[in-house]
């Protein structure tokens, strides 16, 4: 017998075996239908029309949920930023001049990458969530686009470095 002070506790009742009806035709909880022919389902599954769910607004999510989703895939952007920083460092040191202008160039490149990330997220929201009705669970695509941009920026810095270009031409035989 279950504890009377806990209303959620399941109560069991002892039933003598002679009063249990034949279980071949009735569904009983916890009893599997082994060896019996399966009865076909008489009711149909409910159908959902496109108009039923398309007009309903998506549930509001908290800002922390959105920030968590935006962080997923950040390793791509971090790797691209590291590559761009190393290439920028090689370019800036090779210039042997004032580092203010190269530093400003690098900061503007990073700000452009942040803008590209925001644009990618906005397009993903408009296309994937609003048009296709999908839920984005990460920002990996936007981070990958940002990383590719930053790798391109790093390669552009290396192409402006004279000794890197001459070393590349010597390796490739041009």
């Amino acid at each position: 017998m279950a504890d009377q002070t806990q209303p959620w506790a399941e109560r069991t009742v002892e039933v003598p075996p002679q009063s249990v009806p034949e279980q071949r035709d009735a569904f009983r909880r916890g009893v599997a239908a082994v060896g019996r022919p399966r009865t076909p389902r008489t009711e149909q599954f409910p159908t959902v029309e496109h108009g039923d769910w398309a007009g309903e607004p998506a549930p509001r999510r908290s800002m922390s949920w959105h920030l968590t989703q935006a962080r997923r895939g950040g390793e791509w952007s971090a790797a691209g930023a590291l590559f761009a920083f190393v290439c920028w460092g090689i370019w800036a040191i090779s210039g042997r001049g004032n580092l203010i202008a190269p530093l400003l160039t690098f900061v503007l490149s990073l700000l452009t990458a942040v803008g590209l990330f925001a644009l990618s997220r906005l397009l993903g929201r408009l296309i994937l969530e609003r048009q296709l009705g999908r839920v984005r669970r990460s920002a990996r695509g936007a981070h990958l686009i940002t990383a590719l941009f930053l790798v391109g920026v790093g390669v552009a810095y290396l192409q402006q470095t004279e000794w890197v270009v001459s070393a590349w031409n010597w390796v490739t035989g041009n």
Side-chain angles (χ1 to χ4, degrees):
M1 206 55 142
D3 187 10
Q4 296 295 332
T5 60
Q6 299 175 345
W8 61 84
E10 192 174 319
R11 297 182 183 152
T12 57
V13 178
E14 300 274 334
V15 178
Q18 65 270 18
S19 66
V20 176
E22 183 95 16
Q23 293 185 3
R24 207 174 357 168
D25 298 328
F27 172 77
R28 301 274 308 181
R29 183 176 177 163
V31 177
V34 178
R36 288 187 278 152
R38 187 167 172 222
T39 57
R41 186 177 181 97
T42 57
E43 62 187 59
Q44 293 294 323
F45 288 107
T47 58
V48 178
E49 295 296 323
H50 180 70
D52 293 342
W53 56 269
E56 296 179 11
R60 300 281 299 172
R61 303 199 192 279
S62 66
M63 185 59 110
S64 63
W65 183 85
H66 286 289
L67 289 176
T68 301
Q69 304 310 343
R71 286 187 190 116
R72 290 187 181 166
E75 62 273 2
W76 289 102
S77 291
L82 180 64
F83 181 78
F85 177 73
V86 169
C87 294
W88 170 81
I90 292 170
W91 172 71
I93 292 173
S94 296
R96 296 185 186 161
N98 191 359
L99 288 180
I100 299 297
L103 183 63
L104 182 63
T105 305
F106 184 67
V107 169
L108 287 176
S109 299
L110 289 181
L111 288 176
T112 305
V114 169
L116 181 64
F117 176 78
L119 180 65
S120 300
R121 289 292 288 173
L122 177 66
L123 286 176
R125 180 177 175 90
L126 292 176
I127 294 171
L128 290 176
E129 288 184 358
R130 290 199 178 168
Q131 295 296 321
L132 300 177
R134 294 185 52 197
V135 176
R136 294 180 300 170
R137 291 181 173 75
S138 70
R140 286 187 182 96
H143 282 294
L144 185 60
I145 290 170
T146 305
L148 290 174
F149 170 76
L150 288 170
V151 166
V153 166
V155 169
Y157 284 134
L158 289 179
Q159 287 176 344
Q160 295 177 10
T161 308
E162 184 180 339
W163 65 268
V164 172
V165 172
S166 63
W168 178 259
N169 289 336
W170 179 78
V171 168
T172 59
N174 288 338

